Amino acid sequence: MAIKPFHIHVSDDILNDLQYRLQHVRLPDQLEDSGWERGTDINFLKSLLSYWRDHYDWRAQESKLNNFSQFHCDIDGIDVHFVHERGKGPNPMPIILTHGWPDSYLRYQKIIPLLTDPASYGGNPEDAFDVIVPSLPGFGFSSRPTKPGFNNYSVSQMWAKLMTQELGYTKFAAAGGDIGSGVTRYLAASNPELLFGIHLTDVGIIRSLMTSQDTELTQEEQQYKKNASAWVANEGGYMSIQSTKPQTLAYGLSDSPVGVAAWIIEKLRAWSDCKGDLSQRYSQDELLTHIMIYWVTNTIGSSTQMYYENSHSLPPLGHIEVPTGMAIFPADIVLPPKSWAERNLNIIRWTTMPAGGHFTAMEEPEALANDIRAFYRPMRMEN
């Protein structure tokens, strides 16, 4: 299938159905004074639901999203949705940005113009990029897989086809976080000749360190093992469910906009540098637009399948020789040990940011854009 332009237009039937559901909500009880301790706080959720029902304007958000140049293209049986914004500079470098969960391609909404048109934001036009932001299979406006097998590795092969066979780039840059970090690393491991370099904001949970003997680890890695084990025990319940029984979870979430909202905002709060106050980082419109991407496409269930696939069908990942930049944001989930990264990746840039959490491009877009520009600047002579 050839590349086809795409324009978001959610049907009135879907929006009317959502409005009906928001007007007929049945909420659980919450223990007194428990706040966010046991999950999403009911008072915060009630306030958000009230705004969603009475004030949120999807059509206005839809119009903003349609300002991006969007397309669909069939790759390996998936109708892949992607943004493709051309850079404004003398020789833009192509870069593919891969999102994670529970975000979507909107993770990069704020950073796209900073990368495509740096001169308009105080930068150098020679640092411009052609920016490609696909939606992962089963996420948002990409189609939902009907067969198993779509894991980080297989998606990385899809992205290689998108960039070379469909868009005609011979060499490109790649960046990502969360699931996007895994996809980007598999892309580098399997197709190094296609890449100038890769830029990452995390490396996920490093299972090999968690199962290693302390005597085999550096002091930094031993501390990581403790931190990661504590995080998985206290915060990793969602991961265990989505890696083992995503289908059971999908029934409840696919049928309840309140359930989707509660499932997502708890993670946005816990993983962002917001000190427990979501309003420090996100407006209500931002929160709800992220939730709406899942709701209007009915992809909250299919998005969780990626966890199952990555737990059950992912091949091992070897040492990565492609030049790698890491931007570490202090409030991210579990910060990777530099010693491990240097053993497993060809680290040529390591930046510790002053602020920001897991949703880097949403929280600190300028800082991330500046680091991406700086990392790839020496490589542009190859472009």
Side-chain angles (χ1 to χ4, degrees), residues 222-272:
Q222 290 179 35
Q223 187 60 52
Y224 172 88
K225 182 179 175 181
K226 293 177 183 177
N227 294 345
S229 298
W231 187 87
V232 169
N234 294 312
E235 299 288 342
Y238 81 97
M239 190 163 45
S240 296
I241 295 172
Q242 294 180 178
S243 298
T244 56
K245 297 294 185 286
Q247 188 65 28
T248 304
L249 176 68
Y251 295 110
L253 295 184
S254 295
D255 195 47
S256 171
V258 178
V260 176
W263 198 246
I264 290 176
I265 61 174
E266 183 218 309
K267 303 311 173 197
L268 287 171
R269 176 183 177 273
W271 301 351
S272 297

Side-chain angles (χ1 to χ4, degrees), residues 340-351:
W340 178 91
E342 289 175 337
R343 284 200 310 274
N344 290 274
L345 300 153
N346 179 15
I347 300 290
I348 63 169
R349 181 180 177 86
W350 183 278
T351 309

Side-chain angles (χ1 to χ4, degrees), residues 28-90:
D29 297 327
Q30 178 168 312
L31 296 178
E32 292 182 8
D33 302 321
S34 59
W36 291 84
E37 182 181 300
R38 302 179 184 221
T40 299
D41 175 63
I42 196 169
N43 295 312
F44 181 91
L45 187 59
K46 283 180 177 177
S47 176
L48 186 66
L49 294 177
S50 175
Y51 182 83
W52 197 0
R53 184 186 62 240
D54 299 330
H55 302 289
Y56 177 77
D57 184 349
W58 166 254
R59 292 299 184 205
Q61 299 300 319
E62 188 179 64
S63 178
K64 290 179 184 177
L65 297 180
N66 280 326
N67 287 329
F68 289 122
S69 299
Q70 299 171 87
F71 304 89
H72 267 187
C73 180
D74 184 273
I75 303 174
D76 295 347
I78 298 294
D79 192 10
V80 175
H81 160 258
F82 63 98
V83 169
H84 188 195
E85 288 290 339
R86 300 284 184 175
K88 298 179 180 179

Side-chain angles (χ1 to χ4, degrees), residues 68-342:
F68 289 122
S69 299
Q70 299 171 87
F71 304 89
H72 267 187
C73 180
D74 184 273
I75 303 174
D76 295 347
I78 298 294
D79 192 10
V80 175
H81 160 258
F82 63 98
V83 169
H84 188 195
E85 288 290 339
R86 300 284 184 175
K88 298 179 180 179
N91 191 21
M93 175 184 281
I95 186 169
I96 185 166
L97 307 176
T98 309
H99 66 84
W101 186 94
D103 53 271
S104 65
Y105 80 104
L106 294 191
R107 171 185 276 239
Y108 297 110
Q109 182 178 6
K110 297 175 184 175
I111 203 175
I112 292 172
L114 302 178
L115 295 178
T116 57
D117 188 13
S120 292
Y121 299 89
N124 187 331
E126 293 183 359
D127 286 333
F129 292 86
D130 284 353
V131 178
I132 297 88
V133 187
S135 295
L136 290 164
F139 284 72
F141 299 105
S142 285
S143 65
R144 301 185 289 273
T146 57
K147 297 178 180 179
F150 289 91
N151 56 32
N152 285 351
Y153 170 75
S154 59
V155 172
S156 76
Q157 302 312 291
M158 293 171 65
W159 284 188
K161 293 174 185 177
L162 172 63
M163 295 297 285
T164 59
Q165 297 176 19
E166 302 298 335
L167 296 179
Y169 295 114
T170 55
K171 199 166 185 178
F172 55 92
D178 196 83
I179 291 172
S181 168
V183 170
T184 301
R185 282 178 283 146
Y186 273 95
L187 182 59
S190 58
N191 301 92
E193 73 285 354
L194 298 180
L195 293 166
F196 292 107
I198 60 172
H199 189 278
L200 309 172
T201 54
D202 60 66
V203 292
I205 300 296
I206 307 170
R207 300 289 181 183
S208 61
L209 289 184
M210 295 177 68
T211 56
S212 295
Q213 297 296 319
D214 286 356
T215 54
E216 302 170 355
L217 305 177
T218 66
Q219 189 171 356
E220 182 189 23
E221 290 165 356
Q222 290 179 35
Q223 187 60 52
Y224 172 88
K225 182 179 175 181
K226 293 177 183 177
N227 294 345
S229 298
W231 187 87
V232 169
N234 294 312
E235 299 288 342
Y238 81 97
M239 190 163 45
S240 296
I241 295 172
Q242 294 180 178
S243 298
T244 56
K245 297 294 185 286
Q247 188 65 28
T248 304
L249 176 68
Y251 295 110
L253 295 184
S254 295
D255 195 47
S256 171
V258 178
V260 176
W263 198 246
I264 290 176
I265 61 174
E266 183 218 309
K267 303 311 173 197
L268 287 171
R269 176 183 177 273
W271 301 351
S272 297
D273 190 6
C274 68
K275 300 174 176 61
D277 179 7
L278 274 162
S279 66
Q280 286 192 14
R281 288 291 181 180
Y282 312 105
S283 68
Q284 289 179 304
D285 280 345
E286 281 184 283
L287 292 175
L288 290 170
T289 300
H290 281 278
I291 293 162
M292 285 288 284
I293 294 295
Y294 284 95
W295 181 257
V296 301
T297 59
N298 192 18
T299 53
I300 189 63
S302 54
S303 72
T304 64
Q305 296 286 345
M306 195 82 166
Y307 282 76
Y308 187 96
E309 297 295 345
N310 283 337
S311 295
H312 290 80
S313 63
L314 198 58
L317 182 63
H319 186 273
I320 290 171
E321 301 293 342
V322 171
T324 303
M326 287 286 305
I328 304 299
F329 290 77
D332 205 346
I333 295 170
V334 185
L335 304 182
K338 190 175 183 180
S339 54
W340 178 91
E342 289 175 337

